[in-house]
Amino acid sequence: MLAYVIRRLLLLIPMIAGMVAVTFALLLIIPGDPASVLLGQEASPDAIASLRAALRLDQPWHVRLLDYYASLLRGDMGRSIFQNAPVADIIAGRLAATIELAVVALLLATAIGLALGVAAAVRQGSLVDTGAMLFAQLGVSMPVYWLGLLLMLAFAVKLGWAPAVGRGEPLAPAIVSTLTGRPAALADALSHIALPAFALAANSAAVISRLVRASMIDVLQEDFVRTAYAKGLRRPRVIWRHALGNALLPVLSIIGLRFGALLGGAVLTETIFAWPGLGQLTVAAIAQRDLPLIQGIALSFALIFAIVNLIVDLLYAAVDPRVRLG
Amino acid sequence: MPMKKTHLALVAAFALAAPFTTAVRAQTAKPVVIGTDVDAGTLDPRLTRDTTAYRTTDLIYAGLVHLTPTLEPKPDLAESWTTPDPKTWIFKLRAGLKFSDGSPLTADDVVFTYTTLLNPSMNAPQRALYTPITSIEAVDAQTVKFTLSAPYAPLLTYLDLGVTPKKLVESGQDIGLKPVGSGPMKLVSWTRGSEIALEANPNYWAGAPKVQRLTLKIIGDNTSRAQAFEAGDLDAIQSPLSPQDIARLAKDQRFGAVVTAGLGVTYLNFNARDPLLAEPKMRKALGMLVDQKTIVDDIYRGVDQVANSVLLPSSWAYSASIKQPDFDVKGAAALFAEMGWKKNKDGILEKDGKKLALTLSTHSEDPNRVQTLEFMQAIFREAGVEAKAQITDWPSFSTNYVQKSQHQIALLGWLNIVDPDRLLFAQLTTGGSTNWGGYSNPAVDAALQEGRSALDQAGRAAAYRKAATILAEELPYYIISDQGYQLFYSRKLPLTVQATPRGNLRGLIGFND
């Protein structure tokens, strides 16, 4: 098991090297130049040339790529051109907000997906089933920015139940302070995260509910379910303990993959809800052609995704005795 | 004196509200929250390039002058100034000026600010505006002397640049991240991508502002920002806003509104180097195909105004009698015919077997510009011009296309035109640094030079009108619209709000001109 984890972690090195090269190539292909964005429309060509030299943009591409690899080896992700601060610091300052949003959205998506999927499967063909699958259809097809604006209009502008935008208190410390008897911070954190997390979760909830439904329908027809009933077990126990446990296996790997989709979705959600995370930073960095920052963000997203998938694989082995890692 | 008025108003307000003083205090103690579209890149006033950075540094720092809502320079840190000759400006600083950290502000700090700004290695975005300055020296602790290479009248409007603390910067503090200025407010905290929190600076020469705390909330999406304002999360929002949101907010009784002329233009940049567009008559014919009224009314929903010429209606140089050609499809057809272009069987204009084919280009970030371009494309085609639309993102469009003079007709804009010089000199004089269309006319060159050199406003206005008259005929630029500026604020704000077309925020903390 430990050997497996170490091997997987070592595999990250070629993955990172390849990912950096691909991002670098993409940034070379897209036109536009941070020097001219930085200096604006009024800048003279001389001023732009001088800044390009200062940013080392006048160096050949292979020199710049090798320089970047070398600095990564030293643990340095470079400096943001626009914020004039180390990329690692900027990303570290934003990472918690994105992880918080993605994790809450993932929990929400899993809870909604499981509830709807199970309800639809056990009452196959009923109104509940139709309703749940209609929700799934809507969730899959509705763009996140549109859903976000609708939620904001309904719950912030019309009803005034939640703030329209922004992040409140950080969630994890807020939970801790609730445990120590001060619940105000938690209320603030939850009221801010509710709308963006739901907007972001909708698509994944829909995908998960469809999968749970299909998987449950299969499992409910298995022999061991009939045996469980024959033993005289009650229906809820059969469904929740016996059937769902088995139906969850294919769902688990999808939940891991959904985390990647949530990180991607966070780019739009964070922009709509002014959530100060990596997604919002990505949009700004691309618009400004802040090359070191874009590289750094891509690298962070890739690392998070790889690590989450490793965790899912480990969980899979823990849940399913047939799977052996090594 | 504006300050006296404010003080009188304050005294009167407190006298009237004596029993409610605590309530008023409680209200002003709550921060005023303003929505903004981008995070500041830096809070060093020498390096600002986005509107948030400009508006925030205008609160944290003070310049020699500050600009009133009508763009007149008024004394700020400078008490007075003289011009013994057109190439020398001498500024007298107020006595006892201090930065927000309590350290004294002297002529050395002013010299330091402009010397570093002009140093090419600083890569200051606005450096070009100050290059006529050849030397700047501290005559004594309270007197600064600017020497210019040539008379340069617009300079005074640019001296609202925040003065930076020499000692602190030289000791290694990055004032882009931890700013220290001598303006009405100071930085409390800056959560990147989220908010900038400021509080009153008691060391400001005119005293602390009425608003004790102010927060700028960064909300990138225009509609989200408008909704956050309607939900009560924000006390004020301002341009850029989407026209549909403006219409809705303007009807809402809870909000006060200022909708006025801004300092920007949206225009067509004709590439005069392109063989098809070299002749003024061709540019005129194409200009006649721009339906300004429909663009302004239906796409910009009346937020922008139909433009007449390169002179802004808000400018002292404006003259209503200088007019570019109006929308006139028949007139354009006549001009095409005069130049020998005839419609072929497909309805496309042809000359010597070649079709009249042109590329209209703009950038994708501004949906109104994209719509305008597509609308123009339709009218061009109707009139027999085979128009192709090319829409790319801003860096691709700007850096790699227009700035390399590869465009034919580009739709774009200029902002912050606080002085006519800023829209015309670098853009339309022969060999100007941003003359991307390669336009050249010695008579325009002479008039624009005169506009810089004449130190009296009447002389300057006459020069700019002369240039504008020629430009309205030759059309290297066709100005489609003068941009509007909008500010919406909650009527619950405990102060009289004053807007400036540049979006400065001093009118939202109780300092009015």
Side-chain angles (χ1 to χ4, degrees):
Chain A
M1 177 82 160
L2 186 65
Y4 172 79
V5 172
I6 291 170
R7 208 166 58 238
R8 281 283 296 263
L9 289 177
L10 284 177
L11 270 175
L12 285 180
I13 296 168
M15 185 208 83
I16 289 169
M19 206 278 317
V20 165
V22 170
T23 317
F24 192 86
L26 285 175
L27 291 176
L28 277 182
I29 295 167
I30 56 166
D33 179 325
S36 52
V37 178
L38 199 60
L39 293 176
Q41 276 195 87
E42 283 170 325
S44 66
D46 286 352
I48 293 176
S50 134
L51 183 58
R52 279 182 61 85
L55 297 172
R56 293 175 55 81
L57 292 170
D58 55 346
Q59 301 286 321
W61 67 267
H62 57 272
V63 174
R64 285 159 53 200
L65 181 59
L66 289 177
D67 277 359
Y68 190 70
Y69 280 133
S71 60
L72 278 185
L73 281 178
R74 291 193 305 270
D76 176 10
M77 292 167 95
R79 279 183 91 80
S80 155
I81 296 173
F82 272 73
Q83 301 193 19
N84 195 25
V87 166
D89 292 359
I90 296 173
I91 291 176
R94 300 288 195 111
L95 193 59
T98 295
I99 301 271
E100 177 183 307
L101 182 61
V103 168
V104 172
L106 189 66
L107 292 175
L108 206 59
T110 311
I112 297 173
L114 280 180
L116 287 182
V118 172
V122 296
R123 293 194 174 75
Q124 203 186 339
S126 72
L127 265 180
V128 176
D129 186 16
T130 316
M133 288 308 105
L134 187 69
F135 168 85
Q137 191 61 43
L138 276 177
V140 169
S141 47
M142 199 182 296
V144 61
Y145 62 86
W146 196 64
L147 177 63
L149 286 176
L150 280 184
L151 289 173
M152 205 189 287
L153 187 63
F155 293 101
V157 179
K158 298 289 178 209
L159 296 170
W161 289 355
V165 294
R167 184 184 184 208
E169 297 283 332
L171 187 59
I175 291 172
V176 173
S177 81
T178 304
L179 295 176
T180 55
R182 281 174 290 124
L186 186 62
D188 182 62
L190 290 180
S191 72
H192 278 91
I193 206 170
L195 298 183
F198 188 78
L200 181 56
N203 181 282
S204 295
V207 172
I208 293 171
S209 70
R210 282 176 161 191
L211 201 76
V212 170
R213 177 179 180 273
S215 181
M216 273 299 274
I217 288 172
D218 280 350
V219 172
L220 285 174
Q221 284 156 7
E222 298 265 348
D223 290 343
F224 73 88
V225 172
R226 203 177 319 134
T227 312
Y229 277 122
K231 279 200 298 188
L233 292 179
R234 288 180 182 279
R235 190 173 147 92
R237 192 174 164 85
V238 175
I239 289 168
W240 293 108
R241 289 290 293 276
H242 292 251
L244 187 62
N246 283 285
L248 269 186
L249 286 176
V251 177
L252 194 58
S253 58
I254 285 296
I255 290 175
L257 287 175
R258 289 315 298 178
F259 195 78
L262 286 175
L263 289 177
V267 172
L268 279 174
T269 314
E270 288 183 4
T271 306
I272 294 292
F273 286 97
W275 190 263
L278 279 184
Q280 195 201 41
L281 188 67
T282 310
V283 175
I286 292 174
Q288 295 169 328
R289 296 290 190 273
D290 196 335
L291 307 177
L293 190 53
I294 302 174
Q295 274 285 11
I297 296 170
L299 190 63
S300 314
F301 273 139
L303 272 177
I304 296 170
F305 191 55
I307 290 169
V308 167
N309 273 295
L310 175 59
I311 294 172
V312 169
D313 287 349
L314 296 178
L315 277 180
Y316 209 86
V319 176
D320 188 346
R322 293 168 299 181
V323 177
R324 250 188 226 155
L325 305 173
Chain B
M1 280 297 283
M3 278 321 302
K4 256 187 197 155
K5 257 189 219 160
T6 316
H7 283 153
L8 275 180
L10 263 179
V11 170
F14 276 113
L16 283 173
F20 308 106
T21 316
T22 30
V24 172
R25 275 211 193 115
Q27 217 166 14
T28 47
K30 235 176 58 179
V32 169
V33 186
I34 299 171
T36 185
D37 60 329
V38 290
D39 193 4
T42 171
L43 292 178
D44 183 336
R46 298 166 299 173
L47 294 175
T48 57
R49 50 192 162 258
D50 52 82
T51 47
T52 305
Y54 168 73
R55 289 163 182 172
T56 311
T57 52
D58 180 56
L59 292 176
I60 298 176
Y61 299 84
L64 291 172
V65 302
H66 95 104
L67 297 187
T68 66
T70 50
L71 305 175
E72 277 174 273
K74 280 273 176 73
D76 198 350
L77 296 181
E79 192 174 55
S80 61
W81 53 86
T82 52
T83 45
D85 66 77
K87 292 201 274 184
T88 310
W89 293 72
I90 297 171
F91 289 84
K92 185 89 186 152
L93 300 182
R94 289 174 199 278
L97 291 172
K98 276 183 190 163
F99 285 105
S100 60
D101 64 357
S103 61
L105 185 156
T106 67
D108 280 344
D109 297 297
V110 181
V111 173
F112 172 77
T113 304
Y114 286 95
T115 314
T116 48
L117 174 82
L118 282 164
N119 183 344
S121 68
M122 181 92 189
N123 288 312
Q126 315 292 343
R127 180 173 173 267
L129 299 178
Y130 302 89
T131 42
I133 302 174
T134 48
S135 81
I136 161 161
E137 55 193 296
V139 177
D140 60 48
Q142 255 179 278
T143 314
V144 187
K145 182 171 146 195
F146 287 80
T147 311
L148 311 179
S149 55
Y152 180 48
L155 180 66
L156 194 58
T157 18
Y158 306 140
L159 296 183
D160 65 340
L161 178 85
V163 172
T164 52
K166 178 174 189 246
K167 277 198 185 127
L168 202 64
V169 177
E170 284 180 343
S171 74
Q173 176 152 334
D174 182 356
I175 54 165
L177 294 171
K178 291 179 185 157
V180 172
S182 57
M185 304 211 93
K186 55 184 179 179
L187 183 73
V188 176
S189 65
W190 181 8
T191 315
R192 287 313 273 257
S194 180
E195 63 175 47
I196 303 173
L198 305 171
E199 67 179 11
N201 170 21
N203 287 335
Y204 184 48
W205 66 266
K210 187 176 177 190
V211 167
Q212 288 300 302
R213 289 193 293 148
L214 180 136
T215 305
L216 282 152
K217 274 221 187 287
I218 297 131
I219 305 170
D221 186 76
N222 284 352
T223 303
S224 299
R225 196 162 60 255
Q227 292 198 354
F229 177 59
E230 288 174 283
D233 293 4
L234 306 173
D235 297 311
I237 52 172
Q238 54 181 348
S239 305
L241 293 167
S242 306
Q244 58 273 27
D245 294 329
I246 292 170
R248 193 176 67 248
L249 296 174
K251 281 189 220 134
D252 201 317
Q253 290 304 310
R254 293 175 296 162
F255 310 135
V258 179
V259 178
T260 176
L263 293 177
V265 293
T266 303
Y267 75 102
L268 297 178
N269 187 314
F270 289 105
N271 191 343
R273 287 199 191 98
D274 191 286
L276 271 177
L277 299 167
E279 207 185 322
K281 196 181 268 185
M282 174 58 91
R283 301 197 292 262
K284 187 172 178 179
L286 295 170
M288 285 170 146
L289 296 179
V290 182
D291 184 357
Q292 287 171 291
K293 193 166 169 0
T294 305
I295 293 170
V296 163
D297 289 351
D298 294 352
I299 298 174
Y300 287 89
R301 313 240 187 130
V303 169
D304 287 13
Q305 314 291 320
V306 167
N308 282 334
S309 76
V310 292
L311 301 177
L312 265 66
S314 54
S315 167
W316 38 262
Y318 181 72
S319 161
S321 61
I322 304 171
K323 271 185 76 67
Q324 309 169 138
D326 282 329
F327 178 53
D328 178 2
V329 178
K330 277 188 190 152
L335 286 180
F336 286 131
E338 265 178 48
M339 289 180 284
W341 293 91
K342 290 198 182 89
K343 280 196 178 177
N344 67 12
K345 60 178 176 15
D346 301 325
I348 301 292
L349 290 164
E350 250 185 32
K351 185 172 157 182
D352 306 329
K354 277 184 83 176
K355 286 183 192 166
L356 182 54
L358 288 166
T359 301
L360 302 170
S361 54
T362 193
H363 62 103
S364 54
E365 285 83 353
D366 185 338
N368 294 328
R369 285 188 187 163
V370 172
Q371 236 182 317
T372 303
L373 194 82
E374 286 167 349
F375 173 63
M376 278 179 41
Q377 184 189 21
I379 298 182
F380 272 42
R381 284 198 171 155
E382 192 79 5
V385 181
E386 199 172 74
K388 209 179 102 193
Q390 179 181 303
I391 297 153
T392 46
D393 67 342
W394 173 256
S396 320
F397 167 71
S398 164
T399 319
N400 284 4
Y401 189 64
V402 180
Q403 291 186 16
K404 288 186 178 164
S405 302
Q406 288 173 353
H407 63 294
Q408 287 188 304
I409 305 174
L411 171 69
L412 67 167
W414 286 108
L415 298 169
N416 283 324
I417 308 162
V418 287
D419 188 283
D421 184 76
R422 196 152 174 192
L423 174 67
L424 300 173
F425 193 83
Q427 290 88 336
L428 293 171
T429 48
T430 307
S433 59
T434 51
N435 187 349
W436 305 311
Y439 175 73
S440 172
N441 180 335
V444 171
D445 291 353
L448 293 179
Q449 192 57 56
E450 171 66 16
R452 273 194 162 190
S453 325
L455 286 180
D456 65 310
Q457 209 166 73
R460 297 193 67 204
Y464 288 120
R465 284 176 194 153
K466 194 168 154 196
T469 308
I470 303 172
L471 294 169
E473 187 61 32
E474 299 208 328
L475 296 177
Y477 277 13
Y478 186 94
I479 312 286
I480 299 175
S481 60
D482 296 316
Q483 290 176 5
Y485 165 78
Q486 309 85 34
L487 166 76
F488 292 95
Y489 57 91
S490 162
R491 290 196 194 277
K492 286 183 190 156
L493 276 182
L495 52 105
T496 312
V497 169
Q498 188 180 55
T500 76
R502 267 184 123 176
N504 300 49
L505 301 175
R506 291 190 182 194
L508 282 163
I509 57 169
F511 282 121
N512 293 351
D513 287 299

